[in-house]
């Protein structure tokens, strides 16, 4: 081993390792590490790679169902969608890099999640994203929105995967820590899934894709530290994405996967070559012996430390069957990508790197993974919110509706999604703007429904309810297009877990999510945790973003929110108690954030959803919208605007009825001739259902008041975001 | 009819147009041949399609590097013999860069990628690409591009008008927005060469060619080709 | 020999990026900025050591690939190593 200066306590601290953690390293090695080894331990034991604060709780989430082929632990989750096909999907955060350099941060976030999915053998078929920005008034917000949206589009559009939906929220809690959560869904043959466990002593370890440069060194440790004012100086550590190379890498990998050459494959994401090597070796119970000089390098004079910790993008590591190197290389040559045999699988159980034959690091694999710290962070039970103080209506209901539709929370996101290619691949059935996006399973009459959701203000007020609500709303969104919900991925964004109240939010959200997943048969198959989203001690709202998928067995039988006929009855499904605590109505129009969030009754949620889905699957309902932010009146207006068909609404006068955010509810538009029967069916199944209006005309009318034209509503709804972004 | 789709590195609508064209011809997708950009030879074919995408990442200029790839020498030669050539989106950019069509495509005036349905008017229905449409018919077809602003010198534009080389123009603003999504000169969405054997257009007919797309106005273009070339 | 190729839009071709830069400069309070044009800089390391031959070769590169002369002008700068 090369002689290197001894490690100082400062270096240990700079690598984000505690004294105890460093002591464990000394025990594992039986000697002092050199700098490269210290770097390897530091990235492997960072929060981002080791899940040291969250592991204990993540284990409590349900991850199994008969249709789950592969749950958490691999690059992405895999579910059986029938007909010999599998959907592979995951959501991942790229929060810190996007705050520092919004275009490249968001772009490389998309690139990373795409690789997680095609690594497992899937062709990516849809992208989604969940974005949270600071208050619109904050100086940085406009610039961040502009850069993030352009970055997501710039990458996804170029690789030719449609971005079919997502969400955009604004809240001052994200002023110093925006959230960029990207999700990819891919399609594979169920019997052609590729995993990462290395095997076969002596098998070649192959590096493909882009060359390695000094990009993103310490990216993984940066993503696990709080921000301070010096963070903006850290710009050079942000990686730059090359979507063109990614596109070539997708095609080359899928071409290679069609041959019989791959033993194991893994993308190089956070902590690059280190993390991918260690995970492949550990899963296979083998060692990895790497020749660092063989790694294709973009810059001269890179040290082993830099090569091992680089987060250069668009790279993959593959263990090949012996003797297939030439066949594999021909494919990568065709796509003009780097291909290099950089080492071999060994029986040493050690992760060893050499430069010119000399060992530069040598670490036992098992302890590097298993001795990684795991913390049961102390947490406190979140304080239950006080009861809601009395609410006086802010203004007349129609004026309130117009104001909400024209505000930052509920205005149209068209400005965002028109910068995303939503229709490339020619299989997009339902574009952004509905409850769930739908993409056709290529070459079939079946479809996948995809949705993302989370209501962070509910999670802050009552984490357990908020966690359950996030899962339930995704399930409801998928149900409201008629699809059968299958599984979710989660992207858990929280503040500093070393603070017991933040850890309490984390625990509460996980508990709520777990309950919802169990009751709704909606297991977690993949996910990601992003902690330390704090600046100057100000944490973000707890944001467990959920992405879910469902399957549609017959594309002919799906629903969307657009009213399509005059004379239909608008049927409200679900109980309306008029819950105003934590609503958008309260927040935007009364500037209040008090009260508990709406309670989630998971049994009722399931019963109501199963009823609605059965009606759509039977071809009896083609128009459906779930009720969420803004409540009944907002949902009804969205249906009217989408279908360019007016509505005459009738019901009680109280604000809670029209703007409450009670859960487990849907609006259906049903022809007059079918109405009585559907209401009767609902009664038989103990599903609350009532008629609240009738379609027709070109305006919205409430309780025979003054009508408001759809054109006027649409102008208000469409104007806010483009006006806000005018001078970006 | 025999059709070939050229695949450049970074093409991403190659499969989409293959599927739509095969369906117009009435065959399975593999009835439409895929030709790799590095090939300098191509089997005999009646129609060459340059698909959409981001060939070479749109680096340097959209379409610039693809226009200089080996297969393009063959495409230019076939076009000179009168073989029909269709360029969609990035394919249109390649055709202008290769000199098969006049003008150039610049970044959108709004400087942003734009993906939405637009309305275009059929300006010349007397061609093998457009015989299935009525003169002046309005079509609803999606665009999805960053560099779609058509530019041509005024003198050339005058000549093109005279020779009926304007294939489609953006028209009929709806949703209160401009009809022209990218600032193209004279609202041009697609142009022919002088012989009307080469067409380039920014909108994607293959994304409006199936009931699930929510519209089938692009099908007419593919059907026109099938009926003219079969 | 090093060559620097500057590529910019011809006069008369709309340069929206240049326009946006000009507007933003004005918003930032920089006065007296007239027309703004944004171009590209391409740097080439050449084996050729004869300036005239290098210029000829780079001109050919510009005509063939580096610039689209329908919309762009180019200028070549040479620098001895």
């Amino acid at each position: 081993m090369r002689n290197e200066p001894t490690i100082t306590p400062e270096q240990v601290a700079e690598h984000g390792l505690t004294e105890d953690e460093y002591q464990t390293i000394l025990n594992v090695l039986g000697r002092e590490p050199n700098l490269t080894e210290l770097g390897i331990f530091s990235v492997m034991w960072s929060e981002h790679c080791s899940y040291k604060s969250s592991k204990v709780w993540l284990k409590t989430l349900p991850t199994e169902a008969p249709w789950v082929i592969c749950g958490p632990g691999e690059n992405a989750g895999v579910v059986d969608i029938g007909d010999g096909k599998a959907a592979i999907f995951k959501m991942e955060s790229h929060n810190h890099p996007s705050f520092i350099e919004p275009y490249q941060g968001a772009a490389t976030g998309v690139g990373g999640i795409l690789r997680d999915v095609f690594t497992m053998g899937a062709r990516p078929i849809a992208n989604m994203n969940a974005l949270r920005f600071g208050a619109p008034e904050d100086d940085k917000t406009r610039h961040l929105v502009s850069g993030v949206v352009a970055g997501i589009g710039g990458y996804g559009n170029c690789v030719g995967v449609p971005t079919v939906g997502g969400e955009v929220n604004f809240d001052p809690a994200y002023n110093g820590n925006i959230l960029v959560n990207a999700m990819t869904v891919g399609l594979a043959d169920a019997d052609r899934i590729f995993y990462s466990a290395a095997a076969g002593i002596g098998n070649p370890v192959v590096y493909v894709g882009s060359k390695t440069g000094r990009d993103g060194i310490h990216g993984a440790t940066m993503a696990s530290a709080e921000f301070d004012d010096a963070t903006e100086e850290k710009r050079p550590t942000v990686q730059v994405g090359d979507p063109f190379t990614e596109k070539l890498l997708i095609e080359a990998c899928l071409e290679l996967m069609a041959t019989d050459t791959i033993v194991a494959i893994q993308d190089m994401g956070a902590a690059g070559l280190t993390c991918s090597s260690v995970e492949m070796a550990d899963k296979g119970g083998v060692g990895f012996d790497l020749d660092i000089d063989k790694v294709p390098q973009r810059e001269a004079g890179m040290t082993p430390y830099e090569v091992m910790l680089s987060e250069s993008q668009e790279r993959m590591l593959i263990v090949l069957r012996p003797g297939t190197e030439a066949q594999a290389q021909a494919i990568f040559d065709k796509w003009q990508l780097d291909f290099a045999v950089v080492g071999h699988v060994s029986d040493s159980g050690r992760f060893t790197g050499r430069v010119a034959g000399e060992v530069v690091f040598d670490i036992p694999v098992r302890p590097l993974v298993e001795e990684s710290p795991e913390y049961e962070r102390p947490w406190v039970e979140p304080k239950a919110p006080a009861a809601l103080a009395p609410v006086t209506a802010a203004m007349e209901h129609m004026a309130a509706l117009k104001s909400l539709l024209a505000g930052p929370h509920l205005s149209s996101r068209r400005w965002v999604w028109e910068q995303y290619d939503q229709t490339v691949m020619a299989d997009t059935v339902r574009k952004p703007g509905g409850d769930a996006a739908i993409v056709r399973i290529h070459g079939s009459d079946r479809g996948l429904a995809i949705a993302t959701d989370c209501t962070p203000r509910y999670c802050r007020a009552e984490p357990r309810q908020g966690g359950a609500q996030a899962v339930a709303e995704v399930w409801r969104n998928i149900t409201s297009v008629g699809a059968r919900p299958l599984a979710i991925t989660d992207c858990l964004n929280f503040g500093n877990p070393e603070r017991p109240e933040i850890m309490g939010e984390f625990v509460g959200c996980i508990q709520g999510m777990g309950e919802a997943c169990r009751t709704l048969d909606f297991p977690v198959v993949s996910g990601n945790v992003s902690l330390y989203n704090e600046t100057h001690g100000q944490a973000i709202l707890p944001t467990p973003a959920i992405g879910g998928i469902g399957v549609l067995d017959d594309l002919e039988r799906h629903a969307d929110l657009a009213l399509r006929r005059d004379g239909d009855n608008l049927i409200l499904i679900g109980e309306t108690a008029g819950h105003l605590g934590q609503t958008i109505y309260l927040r935007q129009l009364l500037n209040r954030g008090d009260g508990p969030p709406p309670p989630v009754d998971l049994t009722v949620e399931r019963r109501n959803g199963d009823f609605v889905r059965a009606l759509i699957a039977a071809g009896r309902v083609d128009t459906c919208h779930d009720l969420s932010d803004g409540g009944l009146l907002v949902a009804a207006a969205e249906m009217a605007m989408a279908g360019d068909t007016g509505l005459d609404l009738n019901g009680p006068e109280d604000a809670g009825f029209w703007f409450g955010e009670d859960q487990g509810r849907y609006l259906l538009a049903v022809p007059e001739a079918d109405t009585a029967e559907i209401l009767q069916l609902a009664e038989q199944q103990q599903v609350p259902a009532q008629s609240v209006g009738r379609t027709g005309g070109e305006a919205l009318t409430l309780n025979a008041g003054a009508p408001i034209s759809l054109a006027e509503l649409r102008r208000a709804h469409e104007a806010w975001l483009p006006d806000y972004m005018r001078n970006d | 009819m025999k059709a070939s789709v050229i695949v450049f590195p970074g093409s991403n609508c190659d499969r989409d147009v293959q599927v739509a064209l095969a369906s117009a011809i009435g065959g399975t997708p593999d009835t439409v041949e895929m030709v790799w950009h590095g090939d300098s030879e191509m089997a005999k074919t009646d129609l060459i399609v340059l698909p959409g995408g981001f060939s070479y990442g749109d680096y340097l200029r959209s379409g610039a590097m693809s226009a200089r790839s080996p297969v393009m020498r063959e495409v230019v030669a076939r076009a000179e013999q009168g073989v029909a050539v269709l360029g969609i989106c990035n394919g249109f950019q390649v055709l202008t860069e290769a000199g098969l069509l006049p003008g150039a495509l610049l970044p959108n005036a709004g400087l942003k990628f734009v993906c939405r349905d637009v309305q275009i008017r059929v300006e010349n229905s007397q061609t093998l690409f457009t015989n299935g449409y009525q003169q002046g018919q309005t079509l609803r077809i999606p665009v999805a591009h960053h560099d779609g602003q058509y530019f041509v010198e005024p003198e050339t534009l005058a000549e093109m008008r005279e020779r009926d080389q304007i294939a489609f123009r953006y028209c009929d603003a709806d949703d209160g927005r401009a009809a022209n999504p990218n600032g193209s000169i004279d609202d041009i969405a697609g142009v022919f060469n002088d012989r009307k054997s080469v067409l380039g257009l920014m909108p994607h007919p293959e994304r409006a060619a199936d009931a699930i797309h929510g519209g089938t106005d692009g099908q007419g273009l593919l059907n026109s080709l099938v009926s003219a070339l079969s | 020999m090093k060559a620097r190729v500057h590529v910019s839009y011809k006069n008369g071709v709309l340069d929206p990026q240049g326009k946006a830069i000009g507007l933003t400069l004005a918003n930032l309070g920089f006065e007296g900025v007239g027309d703004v044009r944004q171009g590209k800089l391409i740097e080439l390391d050449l084996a050729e050591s004869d300036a005239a031959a290098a210029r000829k070769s780079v001109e050919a590169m510009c005509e063939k690939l580096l610039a689209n002369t329908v919309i762009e002008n180019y200028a070549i700068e040479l620098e001895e190593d």
Side-chain angles (χ1 to χ4, degrees), chain B residues 50-158:
Chain B
L50 309 190
F54 284 73
S55 59
Y56 291 95
D58 271 3
Y59 300 154
L60 189 63
R61 293 180 309 278
S62 311
M65 289 186 271
S66 298
R68 278 100 186 147
S69 61
V71 77
M72 283 307 293
R73 279 192 290 274
E74 189 58 27
V75 172
V76 170
R78 299 288 177 95
E80 277 161 8
Q81 292 159 19
V83 171
V85 180
L86 168 65
I88 301 168
C89 198
N90 189 224
F92 184 13
Q93 295 159 345
V94 175
L95 288 175
T96 59
E97 281 282 346
L100 283 174
L101 288 173
L105 290 141
L106 300 172
N108 296 342
L111 288 176
K112 288 183 172 34
F113 189 92
V114 57
C115 177
R116 63 171 168 101
D117 282 356
V118 294
Q119 314 233 53
I120 55 172
R121 188 171 54 238
V122 179
E123 301 290 6
N124 178 353
S125 64
Q126 307 299 307
T127 74
L128 54 111
F129 299 93
T130 53
N131 59 70
Y133 297 123
Q134 303 294 316
Q135 182 80 18
Q137 185 179 343
T138 300
L139 314 174
R140 190 174 187 88
I141 297 183
V143 292
H145 59 247
H146 189 278
D147 297 345
Q149 181 191 170
Y150 187 70
F151 172 82
V152 67
E153 298 285 346
E155 310 81 69
T156 316
L157 178 60

Side-chain angles (χ1 to χ4, degrees), chain A residues 334 336, chain B residues 6-9 34-42 56 66 68-74:
Chain A
K334 171 188 162 190
Q336 296 187 313
Chain B
I6 311 288
V7 183
F8 299 104
M34 306 304 266
V35 180
W36 181 241
H37 74 112
D39 297 348
S40 46
E41 284 171 32
M42 200 190 322
Y56 291 95
S66 298
R68 278 100 186 147
S69 61
V71 77
M72 283 307 293
R73 279 192 290 274
E74 189 58 27

Side-chain angles (χ1 to χ4, degrees), chain A residues 394-447:
Chain A
M395 57 184 85
E396 182 268 319
H397 291 341
M398 287 301 237
L401 170 69
K402 196 173 156 192
S403 169
L404 289 174
L405 289 177
H409 307 300
L410 299 177
S411 58
S412 165
R413 280 14 182 173
R414 183 186 301 275
W415 181 92
V416 174
W417 43 260
E418 283 191 348
Q419 294 184 58
Y420 303 149
D421 192 332
Q422 313 132 40
T423 48
V424 63
M425 298 188 94
D427 282 321
T428 304
V429 182
R430 288 291 159 214
K431 299 179 201 176
D435 292 331
I438 303 175
V439 290
R440 174 169 59 186
I441 296 167
H442 190 71
S444 79
D445 300 321
R446 307 169 72 237

